[in-house]
Amino acid sequence: MARILSTQPLLQQPMRRQPGRRRWSWLFDVIGGGSFLLIVCALLVLAAARWSAPLTPVVTLSLSPLALPLYAGYSLLRMLLAYGLALLFTLLYGHVAATHRQAERVLIPLLDVLQSIPILSFLPAAVLALVAAFPHSNLGLELASILLIFTSQVWNMTFSFYHSVLTLPRDLTEVCRLLRLRPWQRFLTLELPASLIGLVWNSLMSWAGGWFFLMAAEQFTLGAQSFRLPGLGSYLQLAADRGDLGALALGLLTLIGLIVALDVCLWRPLVAWAERFKLEEQAEVAPPRSVVLELLRASSVLRWLRRRLGRPLWEAFTMVLNRLQPLPTMQEIPATTTAGWKRRMRVGVRRGMTGLVLTLLGLLVGWVLWQGGQLLLQVPAATWGRLLLATGATWLRTLAALAIGVLWTVPVGVAIGLSPRWSRRLQALVQIVASIPATALFPALLAVLLALPGSLSLAAILLMLLGTQWYVLFNVIAGAMAIPRDLLEAAALFEVKGWRRWRTLILPAIFPFLVTGLITASGGAWNASIVSELVQFHGETFQTFGLGAEIAAAAAAGNYSVLLAGTLLMAAAVVLLNRLIWKRLYRLAEQRYRLA
C-alpha cells in the first residue's frame, strides 16, 4: 500500500539498476534505441507522405506479401494515435466523473450513450465531415479512420479508470486529505497508481478491440461512395472478399507477428511495472518479469536523460501546476483588497465564458435534434415495428453471448490472475487470440456454421462472443491480480478452500472488475451485432434478422433515416439496461465490495 501513496509522483519513480544487465546496457542502448528511432522516423515519414498526398478515396491494394510491412506500418500508426487519444480521454473524463458528483450525474449517462452508438453510425457523419474539412488531402480520411478506432478502444478504459477511482480505499483518500495534496498530486500519487493494473489490462483489451474493428475502419461504403485506406485491415478485407485464403493467412500471420512484438516490447513491461503498485503490504512472491523492462532500468542513456532532461522539465511542470491549483489557504483572499476584486473579475469572466459556451452548445444540440427529427419523420410505422422486433432479437443474442462468455472467462481469468507463472505463459497467447479479427476468420468458417442448426443466427452469437468475451476475461485477470497477497495467505492459513474461498474472497474481490467487464462487453456485443448479423463473403451477402443487420444494411444503402432510427433504438436499449442493471451493480461494488 505504501507503494501506491508514494511521496514521488508516478512518473518520477526511480529506475532501479539491475547489476546482471549492466554489461548489456550499451548494446541495448545502441541497438534498441537506434531501432526505435528508425521505426518512429519511418512511421512519421510514411504518415506525412500519405496524409499530405491528394485525396484518394479508393486506393488499389496489392495482395503481394511484399506490401504487408508497409500496410502493417500504416495500421500500427493509426492504432497508436487512436490509443493516445483514448488514454487522454480516459484520464480526463474518468477523473472528473469519479471526483465530482454533480458532473458524474451527466458524464456517466453520456458515456452510456456514447458506448451504445455503433461504429457504423459514426461513419457517415465522421467521414463526410472530415473529408469536407480536408478536401485536398488524405488527412480527413485518415482522421476518420483514427476516430473510428478510437471509439472501439476508449469505453472500457474509461469505465475501468472511473470505477477504480470510485472504489479507492477510504484510508488512502483520507491520508491525501490530511496531507493537503493538490488535485494533480492526488491524481498522480493515488488515483493513477491504484488504477494502473486495471488500466493496463483494459489497454490490452482496447488494442484487441481496435484490431477487431480495423477492417471496418479502413474500408467502408456509404451509399454510392466507397472509401478505402491502405492498411492491414483493408488487406484482410480484400483477401476475404476475393476468397484468397493464402493472402488471408499471410495477413493474419503478419497481424500475429505485430501483436507478439508489441506484447514483448510494450505490454509485458507495463504489466511487470504495474505490479509494484498493487494494494498490499508485502511484495509478490514471484512477480511478473520482463527482459525489456530490466534492460530499460539498466539503460545508462535513459538514466542520463531522466537526470539531465526529465527532472528539470518535471520541476518546471510542477511549478506551473502549483500556480494553477494553489493550496486552499492561498485562495482565502479578503474581498476588500485589490486582489479580491481581481479574483471576482476573473470568476465573472469565467462564468460569462461558460454561459456563452453552454448557449452555443445548446443551439448546436437544438439544430441536431431538429435535423434528426426531420429524418425520423421519414421512417414509416411498419419500419419502426420491424426495428423494435429486431432490437428484441439482437438483445437475446447479446444475453446468450454474455452468458457463455462469463461461464468460461471467470474461472480461467482467476486462474491466470492468481498464478504469476500462468500469467507469464498465457498473457501473449490470450492477447493474440483476442486481437485476431473474428471478422477475418468468420468467412472461412461460414460454410461450416451455416450447416449447423440455427443457420446464421447461431453463427451471429458465436461472432458476438468472439468479439466481447475478452472484455470480461481481461477485467477478471486484472481483478484477480489486484487481490492483496495478505488476503490470499490469510485464506490459506485458515484453510478456506473450494466454494467457500470463491464465495468469501475471490468473487467479492473481482466483483468491481467483473461489473466493468460486463458493462463494456454488453456494449461491445451490441456493436458486434452489426458485423455478425450481416456478412459479405465472395460477393454473397448473408443476413439474419436483428438490429445490427438493419443498421449495416441502412449504412450500406445510404438510408440515413433508418440508420438514425436503428442507432437511437440501440442506444436506448443499452442505456436502459445500464440504468436498470449495471448502475445498481456499480453502486453495490462501491458500497460493499471495496478494500476499505
Side-chain angles (χ1 to χ4, degrees):
M1 188 177 296
R3 285 173 290 173
I4 295 291
L5 194 61
S6 173
T7 55
Q8 288 182 297
L10 174 66
L11 301 179
Q12 287 290 294
Q13 294 290 334
M15 294 186 295
R16 294 171 295 181
R17 298 191 180 191
Q18 303 291 331
R21 298 286 179 181
R22 284 180 184 174
R23 59 178 181 173
W24 299 104
S25 176
W26 65 272
L27 188 61
F28 174 77
D29 290 339
V30 173
I31 297 179
S35 301
F36 177 76
L37 290 176
L38 284 176
I39 292 174
V40 171
C41 292
L43 285 177
L44 291 178
V45 170
L46 289 173
R50 165 68 192 169
W51 291 20
S52 61
L55 178 62
T56 309
V58 179
V59 297
T60 303
L61 294 180
S62 171
L63 293 182
S64 170
L66 298 177
L68 279 172
L70 179 61
Y71 293 162
Y74 282 137
S75 297
L76 177 61
L77 182 60
R78 294 183 190 113
M79 291 281 290
L80 287 171
L81 293 175
Y83 176 76
L85 291 175
L87 183 60
L88 180 63
F89 179 91
T90 292
L91 298 179
L92 294 176
Y93 200 100
H95 169 76
V96 174
T99 56
H100 297 79
R101 289 296 183 180
Q102 296 296 328
E104 180 190 26
R105 297 176 182 176
V106 178
L107 294 181
I108 296 304
L110 179 61
L111 194 63
D112 292 338
V113 174
L114 292 174
Q115 180 198 209
S116 63
I117 299 177
I119 188 172
L120 282 183
S121 298
F122 281 103
L123 276 172
V127 174
L128 296 179
L130 289 172
V131 169
F134 303 94
H136 304 298
S137 68
N138 290 314
L139 183 59
L141 278 178
E142 292 287 348
L143 291 178
S145 177
I146 291 170
L147 176 62
L148 297 177
I149 298 173
F150 163 84
T151 61
S152 66
Q153 291 180 335
V154 68
W155 313 126
N156 61 299
M157 293 171 58
T158 305
F159 275 114
S160 172
F161 182 73
Y162 159 75
H163 202 266
S164 296
V165 176
L166 206 63
T167 55
L168 285 172
R170 292 189 180 91
D171 53 351
L172 293 183
T173 57
E174 186 65 19
V175 169
C176 287
R177 190 185 66 83
L178 293 176
L179 293 175
R180 297 174 63 231
L181 296 182
R182 293 178 172 88
W184 72 265
Q185 292 173 321
R186 183 180 187 272
F187 173 81
L188 290 180
T189 57
L190 177 60
E191 295 175 10
L192 189 55
S195 62
L196 206 58
I197 293 178
L199 191 58
V200 168
W201 281 96
N202 273 279
S203 295
L204 285 166
M205 183 61 245
S206 292
W207 273 77
W211 292 124
F212 183 86
F213 283 104
L214 187 65
M215 295 170 67
E218 291 183 347
Q219 180 171 316
F220 36 83
T221 301
L222 300 177
Q225 294 180 289
S226 180
F227 300 92
R228 180 189 293 166
L229 296 172
L232 200 53
S234 55
Y235 180 95
L236 291 171
Q237 184 68 60
L238 182 62
D241 291 341
R242 294 183 179 179
D244 191 337
L245 298 182
L248 187 63
L250 285 175
L252 289 176
L253 287 175
T254 303
L255 177 60
I256 291 173
L258 194 58
I259 293 169
V260 171
L262 287 171
D263 177 75
V264 173
C265 299
L266 179 62
W267 299 118
R268 191 176 295 272
L270 282 176
V271 169
W273 179 66
E275 186 69 19
R276 66 184 300 176
F277 300 104
K278 194 172 181 179
L279 281 168
E280 61 181 9
E281 293 294 342
Q282 74 181 67
E284 184 77 42
V285 177
R289 292 186 58 194
S290 168
V291 175
V292 174
L293 180 62
E294 294 175 1
L295 290 172
L296 288 172
R297 285 171 171 167
S299 172
S300 56
V301 172
L302 290 180
R303 282 198 301 273
W304 183 87
L305 288 174
R306 177 179 175 271
R307 184 174 62 255
R308 298 294 184 182
L309 185 62
R311 188 172 298 168
L313 288 177
W314 175 254
E315 292 175 354
F317 184 61
T318 56
M319 290 179 61
V320 173
L321 290 178
N322 289 339
R323 287 181 177 273
L324 293 175
Q325 294 181 345
L327 290 174
T329 54
M330 298 175 62
Q331 295 176 343
E332 298 173 359
I333 302 175
T336 57
T337 63
T338 304
W341 178 80
K342 292 181 178 180
R343 179 173 176 270
R344 290 199 305 272
M345 287 293 295
R346 289 196 299 268
V347 172
V349 171
R350 283 198 299 267
R351 288 178 178 176
M353 293 297 295
T354 303
L356 179 62
V357 171
L358 291 177
T359 301
L360 295 176
L361 185 60
L363 292 175
L364 177 62
V365 171
W367 179 80
V368 171
L369 291 177
W370 172 260
Q371 296 295 326
Q374 296 296 110
L375 281 176
L376 293 177
L377 290 177
Q378 302 175 15
V379 181
T383 303
W384 279 108
R386 187 180 75 250
L387 291 175
L388 287 173
L389 292 177
T391 302
T394 301
W395 178 59
L396 292 177
R397 293 191 185 100
T398 60
L399 286 180
L402 286 177
I404 297 172
V406 168
L407 285 177
W408 81 267
T409 55
V410 171
V412 171
V414 169
I416 295 175
L418 292 182
S419 172
R421 181 181 61 181
W422 285 109
S423 178
R424 289 192 298 270
R425 291 179 177 178
L426 297 180
Q427 175 187 330
L429 178 62
V430 169
Q431 187 190 355
I432 290 171
V433 176
S435 300
I436 295 176
T439 48
L441 296 176
F442 200 59
L445 302 175
L446 194 59
V448 177
L449 295 173
L450 290 176
L452 297 176
S455 185
L456 189 59
S457 181
L458 179 61
I461 295 176
L462 176 61
L463 185 59
M464 293 166 68
L465 176 65
L466 292 175
T468 59
Q469 60 190 350
W470 312 112
Y471 290 101
V472 183
L473 178 63
F474 279 77
N475 276 279
V476 171
I477 291 175
M481 292 182 68
I483 299 177
R485 185 63 47 182
D486 308 331
L487 296 182
L488 294 173
E489 292 183 355
L493 181 64
F494 289 102
E495 297 185 353
V496 179
K497 301 178 181 178
W499 170 244
R500 185 184 175 193
R501 182 171 180 258
W502 276 83
R503 181 174 56 85
T504 59
L505 174 59
I506 296 177
L507 289 179
I510 68 171
F511 185 75
F513 296 85
L514 181 60
V515 172
T516 300
L518 285 173
I519 192 172
T520 52
S522 175
W526 283 93
N527 274 279
S529 67
I530 295 174
V531 294
S532 62
E533 294 178 347
L534 191 149
V535 181
Q536 294 180 345
F537 178 61
H538 216 295
E540 295 186 59
T541 300
F542 302 91
Q543 180 176 348
T544 187
F545 183 67
L547 187 59
E550 296 287 343
I551 292 176
N559 191 345
Y560 298 127
S561 58
V562 176
L563 177 62
L564 178 60
T567 300
L568 290 178
L569 283 177
M570 184 173 287
V574 175
V575 171
L576 184 63
L577 291 173
N578 288 347
R579 295 295 97 188
L580 295 179
I581 300 176
W582 305 121
K583 183 178 179 180
R584 297 182 180 183
L585 292 178
Y586 259 134
R587 294 304 177 196
L588 179 63
E590 178 187 2
Q591 296 170 4
R592 186 171 179 180
Y593 300 112
R594 64 187 294 177
L595 291 172

